[in-house]
Amino acid sequence: MSNKLYDRDLQLWIEKTIQQLQNREFGSLDIEHLIEELVDLGKSEKNALKSNLKILLAQLLKLKIQNDVPNTMKTSWYSSVVEHRQRVLDNLEDTPSLKSFLTEAVDKAYPDGRKLAIKEGKLAKFGIRLPQESEYPMSCPFSIEQILDEDFYG
């Protein structure tokens, strides 16, 4: 029954599992799917951190490499830095154990952030200088302290 419920209606399965745990009905728990969901939950926390870091790093890179663009362009980049840095800080506050994953997360997020910064850099218009790909460092030029520093903008 539990396996069928899990496949049929995940939300109902979650509610039933919570009720079983609250009632200490451990024998009737769908352990296999409970473990699967907990593993996925851990992965989703890490993925959220990496996703927010990717955007944050891309914006910091653009501010560093394309610092000669008009302020009107920089304004949206600053806003994105503020928003995604706050998301990273929230991720770390909500799940403090992610701090031990932070260096690895930056290493995993940076190549995608670099790629994103390069792609977005090529979209520049109005006679703005287009940076060469070689201008974007292959490894992250920012320290963890800088990435998390609310006053740092590349």
Side-chain angles (χ1 to χ4, degrees):
M1 167 77 187
S2 286
N3 291 353
K4 289 180 185 165
L5 180 60
Y6 179 83
D7 293 331
R8 197 175 66 244
D9 188 336
L10 181 62
Q11 188 57 44
L12 191 58
W13 176 88
I14 290 170
E15 291 169 14
K16 182 179 180 205
T17 301
I18 290 169
Q19 193 172 30
Q20 288 170 323
L21 287 166
Q22 288 171 331
N23 295 338
R24 309 238 181 302
E25 296 168 7
F26 305 124
S28 57
L29 283 170
D30 179 2
I31 299 292
E32 184 182 326
H33 287 116
L34 184 55
I35 291 169
E36 193 177 304
E37 288 300 317
L38 290 171
V39 167
D40 286 348
L41 183 63
K43 284 182 191 169
S44 71
E45 293 287 325
K46 287 181 175 181
N47 287 339
L49 178 64
K50 285 188 294 191
S51 176
N52 288 319
L53 279 168
K54 175 177 77 174
I55 306 294
L56 174 57
L57 291 169
Q59 301 305 328
L60 288 174
L61 265 179
K62 290 193 308 185
L63 286 164
K64 178 183 176 70
I65 306 297
Q66 293 184 279
N67 56 14
D68 51 350
V69 302
N71 284 337
T72 51
M73 285 180 71
K74 285 185 190 176
T75 301
S76 71
W77 299 350
Y78 285 126
S79 296
S80 184
V81 166
V82 168
E83 177 187 342
H84 288 90
R85 179 177 282 138
Q86 189 56 56
R87 288 182 185 189
V88 166
L89 293 171
D90 289 347
N91 290 148
L92 296 172
E93 186 179 327
D94 294 345
T95 312
S97 62
L98 283 177
K99 286 185 182 123
S100 64
F101 175 69
L102 191 53
T103 302
E104 183 183 338
V106 168
D107 290 344
K108 288 182 175 182
Y110 182 76
D112 288 339
R114 179 182 181 271
K115 207 181 306 178
L116 185 63
I118 291 168
K119 279 184 186 172
E120 290 180 0
K122 289 177 181 173
L123 299 175
K125 293 177 178 72
F126 314 113
I128 292 164
R129 180 187 73 84
L130 297 181
Q132 300 298 309
E133 275 193 37
S134 59
E135 293 179 60
Y136 297 87
M138 291 302 289
S139 57
C140 185
F142 314 114
S143 68
I144 297 288
E145 292 73 24
Q146 288 173 324
I147 292 167
L148 300 179
D149 179 355
E150 294 185 63
D151 296 318
F152 179 77
Y153 293 94

